[in-house]
Amino acid sequence: MTTSRTSRRIAFLTLGANVPSTRFRFYPYVQPLRDRGHRCRVWTSFPSVYDELPYIGWRASTAVKRTTRWLQYGAGILFRPETIYLERGCFHDPSLAMDARFRRLAKRLVLDVDDAVFQTFPTKIPELVRWSDHVVVSNRPLRDWVSQYTSNITEIPTCVPLARYPRRAPSVTESRPGVVGWSGTTSNLGFLSVCAGALRRLAKECRFTLLVLAPTAAPLQQIDLAGVDVRFEPWSPTTEIGWLQTMDVGIMPLPEGQEWMRYKAATKLVQYMAIGIPAVASPIGGNADILAGNLVGLAASNEDQWFEGLRTLLGDPALRAQMGIAGRNLVESRYCIEANLDALERVLVP
């Protein structure tokens, strides 16, 4: 699809190459915007704002990050972006000095907020919102929070590019053990403890494999999955979708009672739906809207609901297929890059 909008110079200022929000909310839009005639530059933190280079340590890694941002600022002076699309902030700390430099560099600043980072930086994030000409959020709770400071808000859910997520091929046989799958970051791996009791109970009744995709397996040692056939595979952006295709049911457990969780994007749930499998998930944050009516997956708020939801889906291939089709259709209409490209372009190039 083409656009009649005037070509603009747009700079994407992101958190890190493998940071989920960067991979889902920024990178997939760059080439489509270029295809529409815009000149786009991507300036990402190296290492990511959350990480260090193990061979030099945290202090030296912080210096590398700051040097990287200074180099990007210098590139910005030459590129002269008309719009900067900023992911949460230049650094994962309370500082604002570098953000202020980039703010002065471009006529238009658009801020992306996709989780409750304002709880970590209660002064910095409201200030960035005030500086911004527009704010993009990933769900309704975030929209409500941002509306305290500005009315210039657009809600764009965390999405996937359809071309990268082909529908999962139907199982050749249903006699094999089912595969229950989880994919995510090391820091979120501990959330599996939310449904660990249900998984242990289920393992006593039926055969299934719990497939876990994460950068490291260390947090699994702290979760009681006795009796569960666990298969861990190191997460990689090049292999993740292939492993997702092997799953029959996805899971997205979230701990209740934590304020941060109500602002969380439904990224895993969207990935499962995109490949055409149902999920059992906690109805918290962005998950709640998607799971309403239990049409694309089953909501679970306690151990019994987790157990019954997983047992039901593993035992009913027809229901899995039905929910998988409904989930894929929902992604195509609402949770894919293709469905949201126009909205983001209108924000970046008003």
Side-chain angles (χ1 to χ4, degrees):
M1 180 177 179
T2 59
T3 180
S4 59
R5 292 179 179 273
T6 304
S7 174
R8 290 287 187 270
R9 295 184 301 277
I10 305 170
F12 292 69
L13 200 58
T14 73
L15 300 180
N18 284 329
V19 174
S21 53
T22 300
R23 292 193 302 115
F24 288 96
R25 297 186 64 78
F26 283 75
Y27 284 174
Y29 288 102
V30 175
Q31 190 56 52
L33 287 169
R34 286 173 174 161
D35 292 341
R36 293 186 171 198
H38 303 295
R39 297 177 59 194
C40 300
R41 297 288 186 274
V42 181
W43 299 324
T44 194
S45 176
F46 177 79
S48 98
V49 296
Y50 306 113
D51 297 330
E52 65 178 82
L53 299 172
Y55 46 87
I56 64 174
W58 184 262
R59 186 182 298 274
S61 294
T62 299
V64 172
K65 295 175 196 178
R66 296 194 176 278
T67 299
T68 298
R69 289 302 195 204
W70 273 107
L71 291 172
Q72 291 167 351
Y73 176 68
I77 293 174
L78 297 175
F79 180 55
R80 296 180 294 113
E82 293 157 290
T83 298
I84 287 180
Y85 190 20
L86 174 64
E87 183 178 11
R88 302 185 198 170
C90 286
F91 302 110
H92 189 63
D93 63 27
S95 68
L96 280 164
M98 186 59 74
D99 303 88
R101 292 185 181 92
F102 280 103
R103 163 68 279 196
R104 293 190 292 268
L105 198 61
K107 179 179 179 181
R108 183 171 180 81
L109 176 67
V110 177
L111 177 68
D112 186 88
V113 180
D114 81 314
D115 71 12
V117 66
F118 47 83
Q119 294 183 354
T120 305
F121 305 116
T123 301
K124 174 179 181 174
I125 304 304
E127 192 68 10
L128 284 176
V129 171
R130 295 187 190 99
W131 289 356
S132 300
D133 298 287
H134 206 95
V135 179
V136 176
V137 299
S138 62
N139 54 47
R140 287 186 296 111
L142 287 170
R143 175 188 281 273
D144 293 342
W145 183 87
V146 171
S147 65
Q148 301 173 85
Y149 306 101
T150 181
S151 60
N152 299 319
I153 310 169
T154 295
E155 183 179 332
I156 297 178
T158 301
C159 298
V160 296
L162 288 176
R164 292 199 65 234
Y165 285 79
R167 292 175 185 261
R168 177 186 181 275
S171 299
V172 176
T173 173
E174 293 301 335
S175 62
R176 66 171 176 77
V179 177
V180 175
W182 182 94
S183 176
T185 63
T186 301
S187 61
N188 290 341
L189 185 49
F191 295 166
L192 284 175
S193 61
V194 170
C195 60
L199 290 167
R200 294 195 303 271
R201 287 171 58 187
L202 190 64
K204 295 177 181 179
E205 288 200 8
C206 66
R207 297 169 59 216
F208 73 94
T209 296
L210 175 64
L211 173 62
V212 178
L213 308 178
T216 63
L220 276 176
Q221 310 307 314
Q222 309 302 317
I223 303 172
D224 183 3
L225 292 168
V228 179
D229 176 23
V230 179
R231 176 174 182 175
F232 173 83
E233 293 291 343
W235 177 90
S236 164
T238 59
T239 62
E240 179 187 30
I241 295 174
W243 283 117
L244 290 173
Q245 295 280 342
T246 70
M247 299 176 183
D248 297 297
V249 179
I251 55 175
M252 185 177 176
L254 297 173
E256 294 194 21
Q258 296 185 18
E259 182 69 9
W260 184 285
M261 294 299 136
R262 65 184 293 258
Y263 299 102
K264 195 168 181 61
T267 308
K268 293 182 187 62
L269 198 51
V270 171
Q271 287 184 286
Y272 302 145
M273 292 191 301
I275 63 169
I277 64 170
V280 182
S282 302
I284 300 171
N287 289 1
D289 288 340
I290 292 175
L291 293 171
N294 287 335
L295 299 177
V296 301
L298 300 177
S301 298
N302 56 51
E303 183 177 310
D304 286 342
Q305 290 176 358
W306 275 101
F307 173 73
E308 293 296 339
L310 287 168
R311 183 170 66 171
T312 296
L313 290 176
L314 284 176
D316 193 337
L319 179 60
R320 293 203 306 268
Q322 175 186 323
M323 287 186 167
I325 291 170
R328 174 69 182 202
N329 290 341
L330 181 59
V331 169
E332 291 178 355
S333 64
R334 173 62 175 148
Y335 292 95
C336 66
I337 300 303
E338 293 82 351
N340 289 278
L341 179 58
D342 287 346
L344 182 61
E345 186 185 29
R346 286 192 295 270
V347 169
L348 299 178
V349 188

